[in-house]
Amino acid sequence: MHLLGIDEVIFGASDLQTCRQFFLDWGLSLHSESAQELVFTSLNGCRVVVAHSDKPGLATGVEPDPTLREVVWGVANTADLERVRQALQHQPGYVDQGGRVGCTDPTGLAVRVQVTQKHAVTLACAKTNTWGERHRVDQASPAYDRATPIEVGHVVFFVTDLAATSAFYQEHLGFVVSDRYPSRGCFLRCAPEGGHHNLFLLQLPQPRAGLNHVAFTVRDVHEVFGGGLHMSRCGWDTELGPGRHPISSAIFWYFVSPAGALVEYYTDEDELTEAWQPREFTPGPTVFAEWAIKGGIDGHTRRQKDAEAPSGRFMTDKPR
Ligand SMILES: [Fe+2]
């Protein structure tokens, strides 16, 4: 039995109006709202909840709000949920909320598991022509005016005890190590077969607990660019991107989120199986990004932010 992925994330924040606009611009659908809570959904039914910091019953955060308070993982059926109940029932912070069971991980984060509420989606994606393989014939490649994320694909946390936290997810929830920064970071996936990571744990030289980012899967590289350009036009700030990770091979774009830390659009991560052998890396800027644009791309000029845009109709036109 393995977890299927992230079913829901719950942020705690006080400025719900700013979060509301941010996640609408991000491309999520607003499912319901009240003074205490915003509930968004992605294309496959993954839920993104922004709860007011004062909302009763909200799990305790590992750092002050705004931050991610709770991560809810999905399983296939009630038999699997029962197995998770057995696995977690002696863990600190154990809760049984009927359809949702959980505990706190060694960092103090609320971890929950439920029968998945997500549904399968079939989406048209860009086909790529490479040397010797022509997958796109008599057809233009897509461009996106904005993104509509498919799901939350992974979450990344700063942890205070990397060894204990990564062991917890492996021993109690069946996670598998994909790659490591020894003593500094651990990339974990829910199951032997699947995308490169659903969870990445980082331990800083001066350890602290907190959220690093929440990552949203989009269809293809063009949707990363189209989504990022739209967010830039809306006035939201890029942290880093677009760019490409050497570890996982994904194309990324990170934005500063009013719900805490960063959110990421990403696509085209490595797909792994039991045959994959975890690698070890030393942290460094070129290991984090093969290439990246600091500050992002201006949504109007479509150029690196603060770069001068050409004034002619074509690059070769001389301005008058
Ligand atoms: Fe990420």
Side-chain angles (χ1 to χ4, degrees):
M1 188 280 295
H2 290 284
L3 304 184
L4 302 175
I6 296 164
D7 244 48
E8 180 174 321
V9 289
I10 303 176
F11 293 95
S14 53
D15 186 355
L16 262 53
Q17 278 309 306
T18 302
C19 293
R20 183 184 190 279
Q21 191 58 53
F22 180 84
F23 283 117
L24 287 174
D25 292 339
W26 190 247
L28 302 179
S29 297
L30 186 58
H31 175 266
S32 64
E33 63 181 312
S34 70
Q36 291 270 283
E37 189 176 74
L38 306 168
V39 180
F40 298 90
T41 52
S42 65
L43 286 183
N44 74 353
C46 184
R47 283 162 52 112
V48 174
V49 177
V50 186
H52 194 281
S53 299
D54 297 336
K55 184 172 183 273
L58 197 55
T60 305
V62 297
E63 65 183 337
D65 281 348
T67 191
L68 194 56
R69 294 282 198 104
E70 200 169 308
V71 179
V72 185
W73 301 86
V75 289
N77 50 47
T78 52
D80 283 353
L81 187 62
E82 182 55 32
R83 289 185 190 99
V84 173
R85 185 178 278 118
Q86 299 297 325
L88 297 185
Q89 62 183 342
H90 300 300
Q91 290 303 305
Y94 176 73
V95 290
D96 185 345
Q97 301 161 332
R100 200 176 267 188
V101 299
C103 64
T104 52
D105 76 10
T107 303
L109 178 77
V111 181
R112 304 286 182 261
V113 182
Q114 67 181 15
V115 175
T116 185
Q117 303 296 300
K118 296 194 294 192
H119 50 84
V121 284
T122 304
L123 300 165
C125 300
K127 291 191 172 69
T128 302
N129 291 333
T130 55
W131 184 258
E133 291 194 27
R134 296 288 181 263
H135 296 292
R136 196 182 72 254
V137 176
D138 295 334
Q139 186 188 358
S141 192
Y144 295 84
D145 292 332
R146 56 179 304 175
T148 43
I150 301 162
E151 65 178 357
V152 175
H154 64 261
V155 287
V156 178
F157 286 97
F158 297 113
V159 300
T160 47
D161 187 337
L162 178 65
T165 309
S166 57
F168 164 82
Y169 284 97
Q170 292 172 76
E171 290 166 13
H172 298 290
L173 292 169
F175 281 67
V176 179
V177 174
S178 296
D179 284 315
R180 287 187 187 88
Y181 293 107
S183 306
R184 291 292 303 280
C186 188
F187 293 92
L188 296 146
R189 60 191 191 276
C190 290
E193 293 203 3
H196 182 273
H197 59 278
N198 305 103
L199 179 65
F200 176 40
L201 305 171
L202 272 167
Q203 184 168 328
L204 296 170
Q206 278 87 41
R208 70 172 179 87
L211 174 66
N212 180 273
H213 70 268
V214 174
F216 292 77
T217 317
V218 295
R219 274 160 261 210
D220 51 47
V221 293
H222 308 295
E223 195 175 12
V224 172
F225 301 144
L229 288 168
H230 177 71
M231 291 299 283
S232 297
R233 282 192 295 278
C234 291
W236 303 109
D237 290 330
T238 289
E239 169 71 16
L240 188 72
R244 184 170 183 256
H245 290 304
I247 303 173
S248 87
S249 308
I251 298 284
F252 66 78
W253 196 331
Y254 293 95
F255 281 84
V256 178
S257 168
L262 308 173
V263 288
E264 174 189 16
Y265 289 130
Y266 80 100
T267 194
D268 197 22
E269 69 173 337
D270 296 329
E271 189 72 16
L272 307 186
T273 69
E274 279 177 353
W276 178 260
Q277 296 296 314
R279 303 165 298 176
E280 295 191 346
F281 297 91
T282 303
T286 59
V287 181
F288 176 75
E290 177 204 2
W291 57 270
I293 296 178
K294 184 170 168 34
I297 298 177
D298 178 275
H300 299 287
T301 65
R302 314 298 175 97
R303 300 295 188 275
Q304 181 180 355
K305 209 165 180 186
D306 302 327
E308 205 172 308
S311 53
R313 291 168 68 86
F314 296 97
M315 290 291 285
T316 48
D317 284 356
K318 292 276 191 291
R320 296 183 182 182

